Amino acid sequence: MIKSLSLRSNYRTLENYTYLNQASLGLISEKTTQAMHAFLDSTGKHGNAFMSDEDEVGYFENLRKKASTLFNCNTENLAILSSASDLLNQIPYLTSPKNGSQIVLVSSDFPALYRPWQAYSKLNKIKLKFINENPNSDLTYNLINSLDKNTSVIVVSYVQYSTGTIVDINRLKKETNKFGIKLVVDVTQAAGAIPIDVNKLKCDALICSGYKWLGGHGGVGLAFLSNDMAKSTPLMPGWMGATNPFNISFKELDLAPGAKRFTQSTMSYLSLKGLEVSIQEILDLGLEKIENHSKKLKNYFISFLSDIGYQTFHDEKIYSAPHIVSIFSPEKKMYTISKSLSEKGVFCSLRNGYLRVSLAHYNNQKDIDKLLSILEDYGSNKSSS
Ligand SMILES: Cc1ncc(COP(=O)(O)O)c(C=O)c1O
């Protein structure tokens, strides 16, 4: 019997529901929720009566330290954003690709990665090259094959949100180095579920949202920026990105040293507090242990699938991450199945026609059994209306 890795009582939703949906809106733990409540009651709601200018700046620094530990980077390279999209939208301007050069993207990647480039290409002469992700093929290989001396930037998710495909960043990096291509990686569907060490992933930027596998609430994003990227001028240099946001002169554009300059404005301090606590919970559990736990659940889950009429996007385990499993049935309508699952209190997501199952540290074998029993009801011999 596979037990949960973390305490299930820390996630009240699990008392009534089977939650296999961390890749969508992640569950927020009781510990994190209580810290957010306490912050709001003791400090947040009292305005400046209980919160000085220095305190406000301090909330960012607490989170910056915690997130730097998670990514194993210096605090100077860690940006705090209001979302992953906040920085993804600036990437075309920060990487300033040469006229006529090519940008490589994945057609089924999360739209926040490619939409900024579609907008940029309306005003600038660049070519967008979309790579398709195919079942049982090596996405990393296909990405590498598409690069040439005319490629200036590649933007890709480390783990693909709809299929769980994992991109081998180190293999990709070797090729981008050859041509001097900028490599921007979104780790929203990876951070908090598998270890991430920026020293091993050496990208120009690594961008992450806070409300999925990191267990935070919406409204905060994080990014590791290379030294060069951290020195660049933000496209949207808000006032919070100044050296001292509470003492700015009009005489010149003062930008804080390092990645700190990328914070634009007053943020939800409640969400900053929440993310600080939830990252500590993840660090306490240990990322290797979290990863291994997902692997166990995944192996268990997929061992029953073909018998009940389903297939995974990838048969080959090497192409996919342990914590996101996307399944389909050649004969069944996944939309109907997904609807029926949520009616029965089992939450997964339907993404690009696949049923996406998230396997988090709080999940256990019973969760998988519950999912399997409903999937089986729609199994190979039953009708598929
Ligand atoms: C890979 C990826 N990147 C970014 C986002 C969106 O992040 P945000 O809402 O913080 O912009 C998502 C949301 O699903 C995602 O899956």
Side-chain angles (χ1 to χ4, degrees):
M1 182 64 88
I2 307 167
K3 292 190 180 140
S4 67
L5 180 68
S6 59
L7 263 187
R8 283 173 72 91
S9 55
N10 201 16
Y11 298 89
R12 290 245 198 103
T13 318
L14 303 177
E15 287 169 14
N16 303 309
Y17 302 103
T18 302
Y19 205 78
L20 295 155
N21 213 19
Q22 197 69 10
S24 188
L25 276 180
L27 290 187
I28 306 174
S29 75
E30 279 305 296
K31 194 171 175 186
T32 295
T33 315
Q34 278 165 18
M36 291 170 77
H37 276 298
F39 175 84
L40 193 56
D41 283 340
S42 66
T43 315
K45 70 178 183 184
H46 303 287
N48 284 126
F50 290 178
M51 195 193 303
S52 66
D53 295 347
E54 292 74 29
D55 289 337
E56 284 191 56
V57 175
Y59 303 142
F60 289 98
E61 293 319 306
N62 292 342
L63 176 60
R64 202 184 313 279
K65 276 191 207 132
K66 205 61 80 189
S68 305
T69 309
L70 180 80
F71 293 138
N72 193 21
C73 69
N74 293 327
T75 48
E76 295 76 41
N77 297 89
L78 203 289
I80 297 179
L81 315 155
S82 57
S83 65
S85 301
D86 176 344
L87 190 65
L88 285 165
N89 281 329
Q90 300 185 58
I91 291 298
Y93 299 90
L94 297 173
T95 49
S96 47
K98 267 196 270 152
N99 255 355
S101 68
Q102 166 182 281
I103 314 301
V104 171
L105 303 148
V106 175
S107 58
S108 51
D109 215 327
F110 192 74
L113 278 79
Y114 57 74
R115 284 172 58 82
W117 289 101
Q118 289 174 321
Y120 187 83
S121 70
K122 284 187 185 282
L123 304 169
N124 297 275
K125 278 197 182 126
I126 49 159
K127 286 181 224 138
L128 305 186
K129 183 163 189 174
F130 282 101
I131 305 304
N132 294 330
E133 194 197 355
N134 301 313
N136 296 317
S137 73
D138 183 355
L139 179 59
T140 311
Y141 176 83
N142 294 337
L143 286 167
I144 287 172
N145 253 355
S146 71
L147 307 178
D148 59 31
K149 59 178 177 11
N150 195 34
T151 310
S152 50
V153 187
I154 169 165
V155 184
V156 65
S157 287
Y158 186 17
V159 173
Q160 292 292 310
Y161 84 107
S162 64
T163 56
T165 299
I166 193 156
V167 173
D168 186 339
I169 302 299
N170 286 323
R171 248 169 82 208
L172 195 56
K173 184 67 198 164
K174 277 188 199 139
E175 293 301 308
T176 55
N177 279 348
K178 268 191 211 161
F179 298 112
I181 299 167
K182 299 239 168 68
L183 175 59
V184 176
V185 178
D186 183 308
V187 294
T188 300
Q189 296 293 359
I194 55 177
I196 298 212
D197 182 338
V198 296
N199 292 312
K200 292 188 184 148
L201 295 180
K202 293 209 182 346
C203 310
D204 294 282
L206 214 121
I207 304 169
C208 187
S209 193
Y211 60 88
K212 295 179 187 283
W213 300 90
L214 292 181
H217 189 43
V220 197
L222 302 168
F224 157 81
L225 301 178
S226 67
N227 289 340
D228 279 350
M229 191 80 102
K231 267 189 251 157
S232 54
T233 301
L235 172 69
M236 295 180 280
W239 68 280
M240 258 299 177
T243 310
N244 178 355
F246 293 95
N247 187 13
I248 298 177
S249 157
F250 73 93
K251 288 185 184 148
E252 58 176 339
L253 176 65
D254 164 49
L255 295 170
K260 203 175 160 187
R261 64 182 60 187
F262 282 89
T263 300
Q264 286 181 46
S265 58
T266 305
M267 285 176 53
S268 162
Y269 297 139
L270 198 60
S271 289
L272 293 188
K273 182 73 205 163
L275 193 55
E276 188 195 321
V277 176
S278 68
I279 290 179
Q280 187 58 52
E281 291 192 277
I282 284 164
L283 292 171
D284 290 343
L285 282 175
L287 278 151
E288 274 84 12
K289 283 194 186 148
I290 295 176
E291 183 181 29
N292 281 334
H293 179 71
S294 302
K295 272 186 196 160
K296 276 192 233 160
L297 289 174
K298 177 178 176 176
N299 287 339
Y300 179 77
F301 179 47
I302 62 178
S303 68
F304 295 96
L305 284 178
S306 64
D307 286 350
I308 58 171
Y310 297 87
Q311 292 173 23
T312 48
F313 186 79
H314 289 300
D315 298 334
E316 277 290 346
K317 283 189 201 146
I318 49 160
Y319 297 145
S320 52
H323 56 286
I324 295 181
V325 187
S326 287
I327 65 165
F328 71 102
S329 161
E331 293 134 36
K332 311 277 159 290
K333 288 190 178 128
M334 296 315 286
Y335 171 75
T336 316
I337 297 175
S338 163
K339 223 168 138 251
S340 167
L341 280 166
S342 50
E343 279 161 14
K344 293 182 167 107
V346 178
F347 293 94
C348 304
S349 290
L350 195 66
R351 293 289 181 270
N352 293 342
Y354 290 84
L355 184 75
R356 180 185 66 185
V357 180
S358 303
L359 303 168
H361 45 77
Y362 52 72
N363 289 121
N364 62 16
Q365 189 171 319
K366 274 194 187 160
D367 292 336
I368 306 295
D369 287 339
K370 177 92 193 269
L371 170 64
L372 283 167
S373 73
I374 300 171
L375 290 176
E376 196 173 4
D377 282 346
Y378 283 88
S380 42
N381 302 321
K382 310 250 165 93
S383 83
S384 62
S385 61

